[in-house]
């Protein structure tokens, strides 16, 4: 290869491996607003439980409806977007969530709350696979780190749920959900910067594929379907454990605190906030560490490392709950974004499908967990639910069976 051609090739590779931080920050901020709108649903639980006289089982069904709508639709959207990506689906998803916010604010009964939650779930289902594709295109060579920036936005949005309960919904009641429409509007404005960039990247990606075909460069060999299927099955079990445990903390731990320690619902938001805030930091640092030590090791450290803290949490005196729940949230969430990247690298060329399967599965498993745990809480007790769920992170030992990391070319 001549010097000018070598220089040109090197320049192209540098551009390809560069991380586009402006786009990552934009899509992460939209992820924040999307997940804040989802957090409005769980943040309303104490208000809805009182104003609409809902049982723990009905609270579980609301969470189930939100999460299953996202779960079922995310892999479908991911599969469609892999075949024909459509940047304009991003703002369309935000419009669906906006409609859901209006519905939540004014729903007079349990069934209309469920309908409103369907719109929020659909908006999220459309956003997540397309958002992950944007991250993949902007990541360059730092895929785990870039995915962690994206997930930090979502985790930060979820983290604000307890604060919304404390500062918005307890004072304003159900109608406070109408403020969620401002989040959707802000997200659409930010996406007006992302959509044109996304379209240009898709065009460049299509041109590169055609160039490879014309030059006769063979694509990298894929893993055997049996190996991919086995690895995905292990990932599903890990996501199941994390999601059911997160469902127990996010939906019912506040009620457990009130029942077990005699604190108020306002005071119960503080440990919940600490868990989610620590999860934000864990997600960010987990992505940085995974690019250095590997995806598999990071996932194993994450969920298995959280097990001792999860087992101890239901038995602690209240003063020790606060520091332990910080450590628990940090360690548990440090591996989630890594599992998404690991799945993407198992399925090269199917970014939307891989992202939809993992993040969609997380929502779906969390939703199913909310229903099952809600019925258990009504039939047995909240203490039984928290103690039963504390063993779930031990399932993380299955990560030892995963194949070695496979970096995508």
């Amino acid at each position: 290869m001549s010097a000018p051609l070598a220089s040109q090739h090197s320049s192209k590779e540098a551009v390809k491996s560069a991380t586009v931080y402006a786009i990552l920050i934009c899509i992460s901020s939209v992820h924040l607003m999307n997940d804040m709108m989802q957090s409005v649903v769980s943040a309303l639980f104490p208000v809805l439980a009182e104003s609409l006289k809902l049982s723990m089982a009905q609270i579980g069904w609301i969470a189930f409806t939100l999460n299953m709508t996202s779960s079922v639709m995310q892999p479908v959207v991911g599969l469609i977007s892999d075949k024909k990506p459509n940047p304009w689906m991003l703002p369309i998803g935000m419009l669906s969530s906006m409609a859901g916010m209006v519905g939540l604010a004014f729903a007079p009964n349990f069934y209309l709350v469920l309908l409103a939650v369907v719109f929020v779930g659909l908006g999220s289902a459309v956003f997540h696979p397309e958002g992950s594709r944007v991250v993949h295109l902007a990541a360059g060579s730092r895929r785990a780190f870039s995915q962690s920036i994206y997930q930090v936005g979502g985790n930060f949005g979820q983290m604000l749920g307890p604060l919304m309960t404390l500062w918005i919904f307890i004072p304003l009641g159900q109608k406070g959900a109408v403020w969620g429409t401002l989040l959707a509007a802000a997200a659409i404005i930010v996406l007006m910067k992302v959509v044109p960039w996304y379209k240009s990247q898709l065009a460049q990606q299509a041109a590169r594929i055609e160039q490879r075909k014309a030059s006769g460069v063979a694509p990298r060999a894929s893993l055997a379907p049996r190996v991919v299927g086995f690895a995905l099955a292990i990932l599903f079990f890990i996501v199941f454990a994390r999601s059911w445990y997160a469902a127990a903390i996010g939906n019912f731990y506040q009620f457990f605190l009130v029942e077990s320690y005699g604190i108020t619902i306002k005071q119960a938001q503080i440990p919940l906030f600490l868990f989610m805030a620590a999860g934000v930091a864990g997600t960010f640092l987990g992505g940085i560490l995974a690019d250095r030590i590997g995806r598999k090791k990071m996932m194993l450290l994450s969920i298995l490392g959280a097990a001792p803290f999860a087992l101890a949490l239901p038995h602690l005196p209240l003063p020790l709950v606060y520091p332990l729940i910080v450590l628990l949230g940090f360690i548990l969430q440090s591996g989630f974004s890594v599992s998404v990247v690991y799945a993407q690298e198992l399925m090269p060329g199917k970014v939307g499908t891989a992202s939809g399967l993992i993040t969609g599965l997380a929502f779906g498993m969390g939703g199913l967990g909310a229903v099952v745990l809600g019925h258990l809480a009504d039939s047995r007790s909240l203490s039984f639910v928290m103690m039963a769920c504390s063993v779930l992170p031990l399932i993380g030992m299955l990560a030892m069976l995963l194949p070695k990391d496979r970096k995508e070319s």
Side-chain angles (χ1 to χ4, degrees):
M1 186 182 291
S2 66
L5 286 176
S7 176
Q8 186 179 10
H9 177 76
S10 175
S11 176
K12 286 182 178 179
E13 287 301 311
V15 169
K16 184 180 174 182
S17 64
T19 305
V20 188
Y21 290 102
I23 294 298
L24 285 177
I25 291 168
C26 283
I27 201 68
S28 179
S29 67
V30 175
H31 197 187
L32 181 152
M33 289 178 271
N34 178 83
D35 282 26
M36 273 188 76
M37 286 185 281
Q38 286 188 277
S39 294
V40 165
V41 179
S42 57
L44 275 171
F45 284 167
V47 173
L48 294 174
E50 184 174 342
S51 64
L52 300 181
K53 309 301 179 188
L54 303 183
S55 67
M56 288 295 102
Q58 286 176 311
I59 292 292
W61 276 109
I62 294 171
F64 173 82
T65 301
L66 173 66
N67 295 335
M68 281 304 292
T69 305
S70 294
S71 173
V72 171
M73 290 303 298
Q74 275 197 50
V76 175
V77 173
L79 189 61
I80 293 170
S81 69
D82 280 334
K83 293 179 178 178
K84 191 174 181 181
N86 185 351
W88 288 106
M89 289 300 291
L90 288 165
I92 289 171
M94 291 301 107
L95 288 173
S96 177
S97 294
M98 181 184 287
M101 290 295 100
V102 175
L104 272 175
F106 300 103
N109 57 55
F110 170 66
Y111 297 102
L112 287 177
V113 167
L114 289 182
L115 180 61
V117 161
V118 166
F119 280 94
V120 178
L122 285 174
S124 181
V126 169
F127 170 75
H128 278 99
E130 288 290 342
S132 284
R133 185 183 300 281
V134 171
V135 172
H136 188 78
L137 291 169
S141 60
R142 306 190 69 187
R143 291 201 175 103
F145 173 65
S146 298
Q147 187 67 222
S148 73
I149 291 177
Y150 175 61
Q151 295 297 342
V152 158
N155 288 358
F156 197 82
Q158 294 168 19
M159 176 191 80
L160 295 175
L163 298 184
M164 288 191 286
T165 300
L166 193 61
W167 294 333
I168 298 176
F169 300 123
I170 289 178
L172 298 180
Q174 185 179 343
K175 287 183 173 56
V178 78
W179 288 99
T181 59
L182 298 178
L183 295 171
I188 290 170
I189 291 170
V190 175
L191 286 171
M192 291 303 101
K193 175 178 176 59
V194 174
V195 167
W197 181 89
Y198 184 12
K199 289 174 69 176
S200 69
Q201 290 299 303
L202 290 174
Q204 291 176 33
Q205 186 181 60
R208 284 195 297 268
I209 292 171
E210 288 301 319
Q211 189 176 17
R212 284 183 183 179
K213 287 180 180 178
S215 61
V217 176
R220 186 184 180 191
S222 300
L223 289 173
R226 177 178 56 84
V227 175
V228 174
F230 175 76
L232 286 175
I234 296 296
L235 275 182
F236 289 170
F237 276 110
I238 293 170
V239 171
F240 159 81
R242 184 188 290 111
S243 300
W244 272 53
Y245 188 74
I249 296 291
N251 295 309
F252 302 109
Y253 189 59
Q254 57 187 313
F255 300 110
F256 170 79
L257 288 167
V258 171
E259 181 182 279
S260 300
Y261 299 103
I263 61 178
T264 66
I265 198 69
K266 282 187 175 183
Q267 291 169 329
Q269 303 309 307
I270 303 304
L272 195 56
F273 171 77
L274 291 173
F275 175 80
M276 294 179 179
V280 172
T283 298
F284 183 73
L285 292 177
I288 296 173
L289 193 56
D291 280 331
R292 296 182 180 180
I293 69 171
R295 328 300 194 213
K296 177 181 174 178
K297 287 181 182 177
M298 191 64 238
M299 285 187 285
L300 186 60
L301 285 173
S302 168
I303 192 164
L304 195 55
F309 301 103
L311 289 167
L313 185 63
H315 308 284
L316 293 175
L318 185 60
L320 292 181
V321 165
Y322 299 98
L324 185 134
I325 206 166
V326 169
L327 291 171
L328 176 58
F330 181 89
I331 297 170
L332 185 69
Q333 293 301 329
S334 64
F336 178 68
S337 64
V338 180
S339 63
V340 176
V341 175
Y342 185 89
Q344 290 173 350
E345 291 171 352
L346 278 175
M347 305 170 68
K350 298 180 179 178
V351 175
T353 304
S355 303
L357 281 171
I358 299 303
T359 56
L361 184 73
F363 282 120
M365 286 296 184
L368 181 60
V371 171
V372 173
L373 298 176
H375 281 283
L376 276 175
D378 282 338
S379 61
R380 299 291 295 269
S381 69
L382 284 164
S383 294
F384 174 81
V385 166
M386 295 311 304
M387 289 179 189
C389 288
S390 68
V391 303
L392 286 172
L394 291 173
I395 294 175
M397 287 187 291
L398 289 172
M400 291 185 287
L401 302 176
L402 286 169
K404 292 180 180 179
D405 292 357
R406 177 180 171 84
K407 299 294 179 65
E408 194 176 346
S409 59

PDB file of all heavy atoms in Angstrom, residues 361-392:
ATOM      1  N   LEU A 361     -36.216  -7.555  27.547  1.00  0.00           N
ATOM      2  CA  LEU A 361     -36.359  -8.637  28.519  1.00  0.00           C
ATOM      3  C   LEU A 361     -36.292  -8.099  29.940  1.00  0.00           C
ATOM      4  O   LEU A 361     -37.023  -8.541  30.827  1.00  0.00           O
ATOM      5  CB  LEU A 361     -35.256  -9.669  28.304  1.00  0.00           C
ATOM      6  CG  LEU A 361     -35.332 -10.905  29.195  1.00  0.00           C
ATOM      7  CD1 LEU A 361     -36.470 -11.814  28.762  1.00  0.00           C
ATOM      8  CD2 LEU A 361     -34.019 -11.669  29.185  1.00  0.00           C
ATOM      9  N   ALA A 362     -35.410  -7.118  30.159  1.00  0.00           N
ATOM     10  CA  ALA A 362     -35.294  -6.526  31.493  1.00  0.00           C
ATOM     11  C   ALA A 362     -36.612  -5.902  31.922  1.00  0.00           C
ATOM     12  O   ALA A 362     -37.086  -6.105  33.050  1.00  0.00           O
ATOM     13  CB  ALA A 362     -34.179  -5.475  31.508  1.00  0.00           C
ATOM     14  N   PHE A 363     -37.238  -5.136  31.007  1.00  0.00           N
ATOM     15  CA  PHE A 363     -38.535  -4.532  31.331  1.00  0.00           C
ATOM     16  C   PHE A 363     -39.592  -5.603  31.561  1.00  0.00           C
ATOM     17  O   PHE A 363     -40.383  -5.538  32.497  1.00  0.00           O
ATOM     18  CB  PHE A 363     -38.983  -3.612  30.186  1.00  0.00           C
ATOM     19  CG  PHE A 363     -38.288  -2.286  30.170  1.00  0.00           C
ATOM     20  CD1 PHE A 363     -37.541  -1.893  29.073  1.00  0.00           C
ATOM     21  CD2 PHE A 363     -38.386  -1.425  31.243  1.00  0.00           C
ATOM     22  CE1 PHE A 363     -36.898  -0.669  29.053  1.00  0.00           C
ATOM     23  CE2 PHE A 363     -37.751  -0.197  31.236  1.00  0.00           C
ATOM     24  CZ  PHE A 363     -36.996   0.182  30.134  1.00  0.00           C
ATOM     25  N   GLY A 364     -39.617  -6.602  30.674  1.00  0.00           N
ATOM     26  CA  GLY A 364     -40.639  -7.635  30.774  1.00  0.00           C
ATOM     27  C   GLY A 364     -40.509  -8.467  32.031  1.00  0.00           C
ATOM     28  O   GLY A 364     -41.503  -8.752  32.708  1.00  0.00           O
ATOM     29  N   MET A 365     -39.282  -8.862  32.347  1.00  0.00           N
ATOM     30  CA  MET A 365     -39.063  -9.643  33.556  1.00  0.00           C
ATOM     31  C   MET A 365     -39.405  -8.833  34.799  1.00  0.00           C
ATOM     32  O   MET A 365     -39.963  -9.344  35.763  1.00  0.00           O
ATOM     33  CB  MET A 365     -37.605 -10.117  33.619  1.00  0.00           C
ATOM     34  CG  MET A 365     -37.282 -11.237  32.664  1.00  0.00           C
ATOM     35  SD  MET A 365     -38.207 -12.743  33.065  1.00  0.00           S
ATOM     36  CE  MET A 365     -37.519 -13.863  31.856  1.00  0.00           C
ATOM     37  N   GLY A 366     -39.045  -7.534  34.763  1.00  0.00           N
ATOM     38  CA  GLY A 366     -39.391  -6.673  35.890  1.00  0.00           C
ATOM     39  C   GLY A 366     -40.890  -6.551  36.050  1.00  0.00           C
ATOM     40  O   GLY A 366     -41.424  -6.554  37.167  1.00  0.00           O
ATOM     41  N   GLY A 367     -41.616  -6.470  34.928  1.00  0.00           N
ATOM     42  CA  GLY A 367     -43.067  -6.377  34.969  1.00  0.00           C
ATOM     43  C   GLY A 367     -43.705  -7.642  35.491  1.00  0.00           C
ATOM     44  O   GLY A 367     -44.617  -7.609  36.332  1.00  0.00           O
ATOM     45  N   LEU A 368     -43.233  -8.797  34.998  1.00  0.00           N
ATOM     46  CA  LEU A 368     -43.748 -10.074  35.485  1.00  0.00           C
ATOM     47  C   LEU A 368     -43.446 -10.229  36.967  1.00  0.00           C
ATOM     48  O   LEU A 368     -44.288 -10.690  37.747  1.00  0.00           O
ATOM     49  CB  LEU A 368     -43.108 -11.219  34.682  1.00  0.00           C
ATOM     50  CG  LEU A 368     -43.556 -12.635  35.045  1.00  0.00           C
ATOM     51  CD1 LEU A 368     -45.056 -12.796  34.830  1.00  0.00           C
ATOM     52  CD2 LEU A 368     -42.789 -13.664  34.223  1.00  0.00           C
ATOM     53  N   GLY A 369     -42.237  -9.822  37.350  1.00  0.00           N
ATOM     54  CA  GLY A 369     -41.872  -9.879  38.758  1.00  0.00           C
ATOM     55  C   GLY A 369     -42.772  -9.015  39.620  1.00  0.00           C
ATOM     56  O   GLY A 369     -43.156  -9.414  40.721  1.00  0.00           O
ATOM     57  N   ALA A 370     -43.158  -7.846  39.110  1.00  0.00           N
ATOM     58  CA  ALA A 370     -44.023  -6.947  39.887  1.00  0.00           C
ATOM     59  C   ALA A 370     -45.379  -7.594  40.164  1.00  0.00           C
ATOM     60  O   ALA A 370     -45.924  -7.472  41.272  1.00  0.00           O
ATOM     61  CB  ALA A 370     -44.210  -5.630  39.128  1.00  0.00           C
ATOM     62  N   VAL A 371     -45.932  -8.296  39.169  1.00  0.00           N
ATOM     63  CA  VAL A 371     -47.230  -8.955  39.361  1.00  0.00           C
ATOM     64  C   VAL A 371     -47.116 -10.093  40.369  1.00  0.00           C
ATOM     65  O   VAL A 371     -47.896 -10.188  41.325  1.00  0.00           O
ATOM     66  CB  VAL A 371     -47.769  -9.491  38.012  1.00  0.00           C
ATOM     67  CG1 VAL A 371     -48.994 -10.359  38.234  1.00  0.00           C
ATOM     68  CG2 VAL A 371     -48.128  -8.334  37.100  1.00  0.00           C
ATOM     69  N   VAL A 372     -46.137 -10.966  40.148  1.00  0.00           N
ATOM     70  CA  VAL A 372     -45.973 -12.117  41.040  1.00  0.00           C
ATOM     71  C   VAL A 372     -45.685 -11.653  42.464  1.00  0.00           C
ATOM     72  O   VAL A 372     -46.287 -12.138  43.430  1.00  0.00           O
ATOM     73  CB  VAL A 372     -44.845 -13.035  40.530  1.00  0.00           C
ATOM     74  CG1 VAL A 372     -44.552 -14.149  41.535  1.00  0.00           C
ATOM     75  CG2 VAL A 372     -45.214 -13.626  39.173  1.00  0.00           C
ATOM     76  N   LEU A 373     -44.771 -10.702  42.597  1.00  0.00           N
ATOM     77  CA  LEU A 373     -44.403 -10.220  43.926  1.00  0.00           C
ATOM     78  C   LEU A 373     -45.549  -9.465  44.594  1.00  0.00           C
ATOM     79  O   LEU A 373     -45.730  -9.535  45.811  1.00  0.00           O
ATOM     80  CB  LEU A 373     -43.161  -9.333  43.833  1.00  0.00           C
ATOM     81  CG  LEU A 373     -41.889 -10.024  43.308  1.00  0.00           C
ATOM     82  CD1 LEU A 373     -40.752  -9.022  43.172  1.00  0.00           C
ATOM     83  CD2 LEU A 373     -41.480 -11.184  44.189  1.00  0.00           C
ATOM     84  N   GLY A 374     -46.353  -8.733  43.793  1.00  0.00           N
ATOM     85  CA  GLY A 374     -47.515  -8.048  44.353  1.00  0.00           C
ATOM     86  C   GLY A 374     -48.525  -9.023  44.934  1.00  0.00           C
ATOM     87  O   GLY A 374     -49.047  -8.818  46.037  1.00  0.00           O
ATOM     88  N   HIS A 375     -48.797 -10.112  44.217  1.00  0.00           N
ATOM     89  CA  HIS A 375     -49.724 -11.130  44.726  1.00  0.00           C
ATOM     90  C   HIS A 375     -49.144 -11.831  45.954  1.00  0.00           C
ATOM     91  O   HIS A 375     -49.871 -12.131  46.914  1.00  0.00           O
ATOM     92  CB  HIS A 375     -50.047 -12.148  43.627  1.00  0.00           C
ATOM     93  CG  HIS A 375     -51.061 -11.661  42.639  1.00  0.00           C
ATOM     94  ND1 HIS A 375     -52.418 -11.622  42.919  1.00  0.00           N
ATOM     95  CD2 HIS A 375     -50.932 -11.181  41.382  1.00  0.00           C
ATOM     96  CE1 HIS A 375     -53.080 -11.156  41.866  1.00  0.00           C
ATOM     97  NE2 HIS A 375     -52.196 -10.874  40.926  1.00  0.00           N
ATOM     98  N   LEU A 376     -47.838 -12.085  45.929  1.00  0.00           N
ATOM     99  CA  LEU A 376     -47.200 -12.699  47.105  1.00  0.00           C
ATOM    100  C   LEU A 376     -47.277 -11.784  48.320  1.00  0.00           C
ATOM    101  O   LEU A 376     -47.490 -12.243  49.449  1.00  0.00           O
ATOM    102  CB  LEU A 376     -45.735 -13.019  46.786  1.00  0.00           C
ATOM    103  CG  LEU A 376     -45.438 -14.332  46.068  1.00  0.00           C
ATOM    104  CD1 LEU A 376     -43.965 -14.432  45.730  1.00  0.00           C
ATOM    105  CD2 LEU A 376     -45.876 -15.529  46.900  1.00  0.00           C
ATOM    106  N   ALA A 377     -47.079 -10.477  48.077  1.00  0.00           N
ATOM    107  CA  ALA A 377     -47.152  -9.519  49.188  1.00  0.00           C
ATOM    108  C   ALA A 377     -48.546  -9.490  49.802  1.00  0.00           C
ATOM    109  O   ALA A 377     -48.698  -9.382  51.026  1.00  0.00           O
ATOM    110  CB  ALA A 377     -46.764  -8.125  48.702  1.00  0.00           C
ATOM    111  N   ASP A 378     -49.585  -9.604  48.946  1.00  0.00           N
ATOM    112  CA  ASP A 378     -50.956  -9.615  49.456  1.00  0.00           C
ATOM    113  C   ASP A 378     -51.276 -10.924  50.181  1.00  0.00           C
ATOM    114  O   ASP A 378     -51.980 -10.928  51.200  1.00  0.00           O
ATOM    115  CB  ASP A 378     -51.952  -9.413  48.306  1.00  0.00           C
ATOM    116  CG  ASP A 378     -52.047  -7.954  47.865  1.00  0.00           C
ATOM    117  OD1 ASP A 378     -51.693  -7.062  48.669  1.00  0.00           O
ATOM    118  OD2 ASP A 378     -52.471  -7.705  46.723  1.00  0.00           O
ATOM    119  N   SER A 379     -50.778 -12.062  49.650  1.00  0.00           N
ATOM    120  CA  SER A 379     -51.140 -13.363  50.220  1.00  0.00           C
ATOM    121  C   SER A 379     -50.235 -13.772  51.382  1.00  0.00           C
ATOM    122  O   SER A 379     -50.675 -14.448  52.311  1.00  0.00           O
ATOM    123  CB  SER A 379     -51.105 -14.453  49.142  1.00  0.00           C
ATOM    124  OG  SER A 379     -49.801 -14.580  48.602  1.00  0.00           O
ATOM    125  N   ARG A 380     -48.969 -13.367  51.334  1.00  0.00           N
ATOM    126  CA  ARG A 380     -48.033 -13.712  52.419  1.00  0.00           C
ATOM    127  C   ARG A 380     -47.690 -12.447  53.201  1.00  0.00           C
ATOM    128  O   ARG A 380     -48.415 -12.073  54.115  1.00  0.00           O
ATOM    129  CB  ARG A 380     -46.771 -14.365  51.840  1.00  0.00           C
ATOM    130  CG  ARG A 380     -47.026 -15.667  51.090  1.00  0.00           C
ATOM    131  CD  ARG A 380     -47.444 -16.800  52.025  1.00  0.00           C
ATOM    132  NE  ARG A 380     -46.381 -17.168  52.938  1.00  0.00           N
ATOM    133  CZ  ARG A 380     -45.473 -18.106  52.700  1.00  0.00           C
ATOM    134  NH1 ARG A 380     -45.483 -18.763  51.562  1.00  0.00           N
ATOM    135  NH2 ARG A 380     -44.554 -18.408  53.609  1.00  0.00           N
ATOM    136  N   SER A 381     -46.618 -11.776  52.808  1.00  0.00           N
ATOM    137  CA  SER A 381     -46.237 -10.518  53.456  1.00  0.00           C
ATOM    138  C   SER A 381     -45.140  -9.853  52.647  1.00  0.00           C
ATOM    139  O   SER A 381     -44.465 -10.496  51.839  1.00  0.00           O
ATOM    140  CB  SER A 381     -45.737 -10.756  54.878  1.00  0.00           C
ATOM    141  OG  SER A 381     -44.493 -11.437  54.856  1.00  0.00           O
ATOM    142  N   LEU A 382     -44.951  -8.565  52.887  1.00  0.00           N
ATOM    143  CA  LEU A 382     -43.857  -7.843  52.236  1.00  0.00           C
ATOM    144  C   LEU A 382     -42.500  -8.367  52.704  1.00  0.00           C
ATOM    145  O   LEU A 382     -41.544  -8.425  51.928  1.00  0.00           O
ATOM    146  CB  LEU A 382     -43.980  -6.348  52.524  1.00  0.00           C
ATOM    147  CG  LEU A 382     -45.058  -5.606  51.733  1.00  0.00           C
ATOM    148  CD1 LEU A 382     -45.349  -4.252  52.373  1.00  0.00           C
ATOM    149  CD2 LEU A 382     -44.631  -5.418  50.285  1.00  0.00           C
ATOM    150  N   SER A 383     -42.415  -8.766  53.976  1.00  0.00           N
ATOM    151  CA  SER A 383     -41.160  -9.312  54.490  1.00  0.00           C
ATOM    152  C   SER A 383     -40.791 -10.594  53.755  1.00  0.00           C
ATOM    153  O   SER A 383     -39.619 -10.816  53.408  1.00  0.00           O
ATOM    154  CB  SER A 383     -41.280  -9.600  55.993  1.00  0.00           C
ATOM    155  OG  SER A 383     -41.437  -8.403  56.715  1.00  0.00           O
ATOM    156  N   PHE A 384     -41.782 -11.439  53.502  1.00  0.00           N
ATOM    157  CA  PHE A 384     -41.536 -12.685  52.771  1.00  0.00           C
ATOM    158  C   PHE A 384     -40.996 -12.386  51.371  1.00  0.00           C
ATOM    159  O   PHE A 384     -40.055 -13.034  50.902  1.00  0.00           O
ATOM    160  CB  PHE A 384     -42.825 -13.497  52.675  1.00  0.00           C
ATOM    161  CG  PHE A 384     -42.699 -14.722  51.814  1.00  0.00           C
ATOM    162  CD1 PHE A 384     -42.142 -15.891  52.315  1.00  0.00           C
ATOM    163  CD2 PHE A 384     -43.135 -14.705  50.493  1.00  0.00           C
ATOM    164  CE1 PHE A 384     -42.011 -17.017  51.520  1.00  0.00           C
ATOM    165  CE2 PHE A 384     -43.003 -15.821  49.687  1.00  0.00           C
ATOM    166  CZ  PHE A 384     -42.446 -16.992  50.196  1.00  0.00           C
ATOM    167  N   VAL A 385     -41.594 -11.388  50.699  1.00  0.00           N
ATOM    168  CA  VAL A 385     -41.169 -11.021  49.343  1.00  0.00           C
ATOM    169  C   VAL A 385     -39.722 -10.553  49.341  1.00  0.00           C
ATOM    170  O   VAL A 385     -38.912 -10.992  48.511  1.00  0.00           O
ATOM    171  CB  VAL A 385     -42.100  -9.933  48.761  1.00  0.00           C
ATOM    172  CG1 VAL A 385     -41.484  -9.290  47.516  1.00  0.00           C
ATOM    173  CG2 VAL A 385     -43.462 -10.518  48.422  1.00  0.00           C
ATOM    174  N   MET A 386     -39.364  -9.675  50.257  1.00  0.00           N
ATOM    175  CA  MET A 386     -38.007  -9.128  50.259  1.00  0.00           C
ATOM    176  C   MET A 386     -36.972 -10.203  50.593  1.00  0.00           C
ATOM    177  O   MET A 386     -35.885 -10.232  50.010  1.00  0.00           O
ATOM    178  CB  MET A 386     -37.903  -7.972  51.259  1.00  0.00           C
ATOM    179  CG  MET A 386     -38.756  -6.759  50.906  1.00  0.00           C
ATOM    180  SD  MET A 386     -38.592  -6.179  49.195  1.00  0.00           S
ATOM    181  CE  MET A 386     -36.843  -5.910  49.065  1.00  0.00           C
ATOM    182  N   MET A 387     -37.314 -11.112  51.489  1.00  0.00           N
ATOM    183  CA  MET A 387     -36.364 -12.170  51.847  1.00  0.00           C
ATOM    184  C   MET A 387     -36.226 -13.193  50.715  1.00  0.00           C
ATOM    185  O   MET A 387     -35.120 -13.672  50.429  1.00  0.00           O
ATOM    186  CB  MET A 387     -36.803 -12.846  53.146  1.00  0.00           C
ATOM    187  CG  MET A 387     -36.623 -11.965  54.361  1.00  0.00           C
ATOM    188  SD  MET A 387     -37.180 -12.751  55.880  1.00  0.00           S
ATOM    189  CE  MET A 387     -37.082 -11.362  57.017  1.00  0.00           C
ATOM    190  N   ALA A 388     -37.340 -13.508  50.053  1.00  0.00           N
ATOM    191  CA  ALA A 388     -37.284 -14.455  48.937  1.00  0.00           C
ATOM    192  C   ALA A 388     -36.457 -13.889  47.789  1.00  0.00           C
ATOM    193  O   ALA A 388     -35.669 -14.607  47.147  1.00  0.00           O
ATOM    194  CB  ALA A 388     -38.701 -14.791  48.470  1.00  0.00           C
ATOM    195  N   CYS A 389     -36.607 -12.600  47.513  1.00  0.00           N
ATOM    196  CA  CYS A 389     -35.887 -11.971  46.401  1.00  0.00           C
ATOM    197  C   CYS A 389     -34.403 -11.778  46.692  1.00  0.00           C
ATOM    198  O   CYS A 389     -33.603 -11.629  45.761  1.00  0.00           O
ATOM    199  CB  CYS A 389     -36.513 -10.620  46.065  1.00  0.00           C
ATOM    200  SG  CYS A 389     -38.118 -10.772  45.256  1.00  0.00           S
ATOM    201  N   SER A 390     -34.038 -11.798  47.951  1.00  0.00           N
ATOM    202  CA  SER A 390     -32.638 -11.521  48.298  1.00  0.00           C
ATOM    203  C   SER A 390     -31.677 -12.593  47.779  1.00  0.00           C
ATOM    204  O   SER A 390     -30.474 -12.340  47.675  1.00  0.00           O
ATOM    205  CB  SER A 390     -32.485 -11.388  49.817  1.00  0.00           C
ATOM    206  OG  SER A 390     -32.712 -12.641  50.465  1.00  0.00           O
ATOM    207  N   VAL A 391     -32.198 -13.773  47.423  1.00  0.00           N
ATOM    208  CA  VAL A 391     -31.315 -14.837  46.917  1.00  0.00           C
ATOM    209  C   VAL A 391     -31.122 -14.744  45.401  1.00  0.00           C
ATOM    210  O   VAL A 391     -30.266 -15.445  44.844  1.00  0.00           O
ATOM    211  CB  VAL A 391     -31.866 -16.243  47.281  1.00  0.00           C
ATOM    212  CG1 VAL A 391     -32.039 -16.366  48.788  1.00  0.00           C
ATOM    213  CG2 VAL A 391     -33.184 -16.532  46.568  1.00  0.00           C
ATOM    214  N   LEU A 392     -31.895 -13.911  44.725  1.00  0.00           N
ATOM    215  CA  LEU A 392     -31.852 -13.871  43.261  1.00  0.00           C
ATOM    216  C   LEU A 392     -30.468 -13.550  42.680  1.00  0.00           C
ATOM    217  O   LEU A 392     -30.076 -14.153  41.668  1.00  0.00           O
ATOM    218  CB  LEU A 392     -32.886 -12.869  42.735  1.00  0.00           C
ATOM    219  CG  LEU A 392     -34.350 -13.318  42.810  1.00  0.00           C
ATOM    220  CD1 LEU A 392     -35.279 -12.167  42.442  1.00  0.00           C
ATOM    221  CD2 LEU A 392     -34.605 -14.514  41.899  1.00  0.00           C
TER     222      LEU A 392
END
